[in-house]
Amino acid sequence: DQFEEYFLYHPPSDSGFDAEFARAVNRRDVAANFLLALREDSLSRLDRFKGRIPNLLTNLLRLEHLDYAAAVEAIRQPLAEYNRQHASQPPMSIEDELVETIIAQVKTGNVTLGAGAIGQSAATAETRVETPYLQLVLTRLWNEERARGSNELRRATLERLGGAQQIVRTHLDTTMQRLPGADREVAARAFRYLVTPSQTKIAYTIADLADFAGIAPNKLAPVLQKLASPDVRVLRSVAPAVGEKKELRYEIFHDVLAPAVLDWRERYQEQVRSRRVRALIAVVVPLILLALAFSLFQSYQAQLAQYQAQAAQATIQ
């Protein structure tokens, strides 16, 4: 999965994985098939295998966006499977109108993350459903209903949470708000390198990321582990490839989070700047008022001394 990242970290080579993979694919005595999942805009990068693997691009399986019918199945079938596996418990259900509302709200172009996010207009993508957003919305609804002891996913809950747009936009905010202030500062500095301004995610080892971000590794590692935990999933750990140093790398959990990470970091930095300005004002304003009061006191003393001198002179006369 996400095979395009292989090309990001590994230049073309006449040996190593490039050669070994081609040999494995071409062997007739190995009863195995290989499926490479990668983004469409990275398909041309497979050209490096063209001379080694015959008919490389003649066996493509295009994975389309969900259409309306597929989106309905993606919502209802997991509930049916859950009820089958937990037959002894009250079944979980979902309101029909909630299904319709969710699909309408997570069409391509209807949900954006951050100022730099770009999506198609809803008019050109009437039946294209963004699967990552659908997953985020349904997961949040499930957690909310289960926490309240409800056995039904309800439209009222979606509306109370602000709809799909608000759920997706606040997913990262909610997660980051649970972290202590010091951890948020570490995360903000790390995010600068984990996501580029063009919303590309990059994986780093703890040592490399600590060096780039100027953070002690023993302070960075716990924060990365928290963000990669199963109940958070802002980051994920990437196992080292064969032949590499046995160090985990970390990257953001899904491409869809890239604009949200950039948006959160920008807002966090703005909050930090605002706090610094307020702190500076809190120090400077009292000093200014103290200086002004001292100046007024000196002026009053001078005027009083002048008045007393004049009074004394008048008495002498």
Side-chain angles (χ1 to χ4, degrees):
D1 192 17
Q2 295 185 311
F3 192 72
E4 68 274 4
E5 295 184 5
Y6 170 75
F7 304 113
L8 178 63
Y9 302 111
H10 304 279
S13 173
D14 294 331
S15 59
F17 177 81
D18 284 15
E20 293 169 4
F21 176 64
R23 282 198 300 270
V25 172
N26 293 330
R27 285 182 60 173
R28 298 298 182 183
D29 60 324
V30 176
N33 295 313
F34 298 86
L35 176 65
L36 304 181
L38 69 164
R39 299 167 63 102
E40 187 175 28
D41 55 10
S42 301
L43 196 60
S44 61
R45 297 186 180 185
L46 288 174
D47 286 350
R48 76 158 71 173
F49 294 109
K50 268 189 173 181
R52 292 172 166 162
I53 303 177
N55 305 317
L56 178 66
L57 299 178
T58 58
N59 191 18
L60 298 181
L61 179 64
R62 184 182 178 87
L63 193 62
E64 301 286 355
H65 282 69
L66 296 181
D67 58 17
Y68 174 82
V72 171
E73 279 199 60
I75 295 172
R76 292 191 180 277
Q77 290 303 318
L79 287 175
E81 177 63 17
Y82 176 84
N83 291 334
R84 186 188 68 80
Q85 294 183 14
H86 301 80
S88 61
Q89 300 178 12
M92 285 293 295
S93 61
I94 185 170
E95 293 179 345
D96 293 340
E97 58 182 0
L98 175 60
V99 175
E100 301 292 332
T101 302
I102 291 176
I103 293 175
Q105 292 188 7
V106 296
K107 290 177 183 176
T108 301
N110 283 1
V111 177
T112 57
L113 290 170
I118 299 174
Q120 297 181 6
S121 66
T124 62
E126 294 182 359
T127 59
R128 291 163 60 96
V129 174
E130 295 288 354
T131 316
Y133 298 150
L134 181 64
Q135 181 182 10
L136 282 176
V137 172
L138 287 170
T139 300
R140 180 69 184 279
L141 287 174
W142 176 274
N143 291 337
E144 287 288 326
E145 298 291 9
R146 298 301 284 175
R148 291 171 173 264
S150 170
N151 292 318
E152 184 179 40
L153 304 181
R154 298 167 296 176
R155 181 179 177 180
T157 304
L158 178 67
E159 293 174 348
R160 178 171 57 81
L161 296 174
Q165 171 81 8
Q166 185 67 12
I167 290 174
V168 173
R169 286 185 63 87
T170 58
H171 169 70
L172 184 66
D173 286 5
T174 303
T175 299
M176 300 304 294
Q177 195 61 36
R178 299 193 190 110
L179 297 179
D183 287 355
R184 287 200 296 272
E185 172 63 23
V186 170
R189 293 167 65 177
F191 283 163
R192 178 185 178 187
Y193 300 95
L194 290 170
V195 183
T196 69
S198 61
Q199 301 178 8
T200 299
K201 64 177 185 177
I202 300 178
Y204 287 104
T205 64
I206 294 176
D208 288 343
L209 187 57
D211 183 55
F212 287 138
I215 308 170
N218 62 335
K219 291 184 178 180
L220 176 62
V223 176
L224 297 181
Q225 291 166 3
K226 288 180 185 177
L227 294 177
S229 60
D231 59 331
V232 175
R233 292 188 178 182
V234 170
L235 302 180
R236 70 185 184 105
S237 58
V238 182
V242 176
E244 293 184 345
K245 293 188 296 183
K246 296 186 181 301
E247 292 184 72
L248 285 178
R249 292 180 297 167
Y250 285 89
E251 65 181 8
I252 61 171
F253 187 78
H254 196 287
D255 293 6
V256 74
L257 288 175
V261 166
L262 292 176
D263 182 55
W264 178 85
R265 183 174 181 273
E266 182 178 345
R267 287 184 285 109
Y268 176 81
Q269 288 182 314
E270 181 60 34
Q271 291 173 0
V272 171
R273 286 192 292 267
S274 297
R275 285 198 298 268
R276 288 174 178 171
V277 169
R278 289 196 297 269
L280 183 62
I281 291 175
V283 173
V284 171
V285 169
L287 291 177
I288 293 175
L289 292 176
L290 183 61
L292 180 60
F294 183 70
S295 176
L296 290 174
F297 178 73
Q298 284 188 317
S299 177
Y300 168 76
Q301 289 290 89
Q303 291 177 357
L304 180 61
Q306 184 179 6
Y307 170 76
Q308 290 174 341
Q310 291 174 348
Q313 185 65 30
T315 300
I316 294 173
Q317 292 177 350

